[in-house]
Amino acid sequence: MNRDPDYHPGRFQSQDYGQPTRHNIWKPDNELNDEDKLFCQNKFYVSFHQEIIDRLKARKDLTFVMAWDNTAHYNIGVNSMGEPQTMRPFILSNRGLENSSYSNENEPTSCDPKFLELLAQKFSPALREKGLPSEVLLNFVFKGGYICRRYNTSRNTDALTKLGVTCDVQSLQLEYDAAITHDQDTVKLKIYFTTDTKLSSNYLLIYL
């Protein structure tokens, strides 16, 4: 859901992200064919993103779209120094520079850098109060995927306006270590979260 529909090669993969060995997803002769992929595209992907647009069209005030993802506790890539990195507890992203909420001149951030910094400052002690890992990094390896790139008016004002979105939109991504919630060998759930329904109306949360 958080991948570009036009060119991302990982949308219909034949193997998972297992490390050090990837595993086949489908049993032999049961892989998705072109018709299956088209069905998935229309049934799940298109409808998911249309729901975001429909909700944004109904908004008048500044709205934040947040992609909430998780990644297994393994190597997630390299940092800006080219050094391999293992997944950290929480990574907030807005297309900025590594360990910063700000970007270079070549690419605008997907949300206000000061907002991302404030969120990180508030988020870390809140995690600590709940007895959870409280390390929160900014734009660490993960910079923010398709949702960050698409759903913000600092980058895509014209495109969103053509779709009927008139409010100011900002977006960010939260990636968390799945080791916090699931045993990494058995995938058994470790933590049960309750849902807080008293969220500010200025936030549109998209759970992936």
Side-chain angles (χ1 to χ4, degrees):
M1 297 301 184
N2 200 9
R3 290 174 174 162
D4 194 307
D6 297 323
Y7 67 85
H8 199 291
R11 294 190 61 222
F12 295 105
Q13 297 190 85
S14 59
Q15 293 186 317
D16 64 15
Y17 290 101
Q19 294 185 19
T21 303
R22 300 183 70 167
H23 309 91
N24 291 334
I25 295 173
W26 305 102
K27 293 181 179 180
D29 300 322
N30 282 281
E31 300 87 352
L32 295 178
N33 58 33
D34 290 342
E35 184 177 349
D36 295 330
K37 293 177 181 179
L38 182 60
F39 172 83
C40 291
Q41 165 75 11
N42 294 326
K43 178 69 174 181
F44 305 112
Y45 187 90
V46 172
S47 61
F48 175 87
H49 285 280
Q50 187 59 52
E51 181 70 16
I52 298 176
I53 292 298
D54 289 344
R55 294 198 181 201
L56 288 176
K57 287 167 62 176
R59 297 284 305 164
K60 300 299 181 184
D61 301 323
L62 168 64
T63 301
F64 292 85
V65 179
M66 183 176 188
W68 188 298
D69 306 325
N70 66 45
T71 295
H73 189 77
Y74 53 34
N75 185 294
I76 57 173
V78 298
N79 62 10
S80 59
M81 302 297 291
E83 302 164 332
Q85 298 297 319
T86 299
M87 182 60 193
R88 301 296 185 85
F90 296 93
I91 301 172
L92 285 169
S93 306
N94 69 340
R95 305 297 301 173
L97 299 172
E98 183 175 281
N99 296 319
S100 170
S101 63
Y102 292 84
S103 67
N104 56 32
E105 297 177 354
N106 298 325
E107 180 180 14
T109 57
S110 61
C111 76
D112 187 332
K114 293 183 178 179
F115 170 80
L116 198 72
E117 289 181 355
L118 180 61
L119 178 59
Q121 292 169 7
K122 299 289 187 180
F123 189 33
S124 185
L127 291 165
R128 195 176 302 113
E129 285 183 9
K130 299 297 184 181
L132 294 169
S134 59
E135 182 181 30
V136 180
L137 301 179
L138 301 180
N139 292 299
F140 184 78
V141 182
F142 294 116
K143 303 293 185 180
Y146 177 64
I147 286 176
C148 273
R149 295 194 305 272
R150 184 184 188 195
Y151 297 110
N152 62 89
T153 46
S154 64
R155 300 165 61 100
N156 298 311
T157 302
D158 291 342
L160 291 173
T161 299
K162 288 179 181 178
L163 293 172
V165 177
T166 59
C167 65
D168 289 333
V169 183
Q170 298 188 31
S171 54
L172 62 150
Q173 178 173 305
L174 172 64
E175 195 90 23
Y176 71 89
D177 190 343
I180 297 172
T181 56
H182 293 78
D183 184 284
Q184 296 298 277
D185 294 321
T186 66
V187 199
K188 183 178 180 180
L189 188 64
K190 294 164 58 176
I191 297 176
Y192 295 84
F193 289 100
T194 58
T195 301
D196 183 358
T197 58
K198 298 178 181 179
L199 292 172
S200 166
S201 61
N202 284 344
Y203 294 85
L204 171 59
L205 299 183
I206 306 302
Y207 294 93
L208 300 182

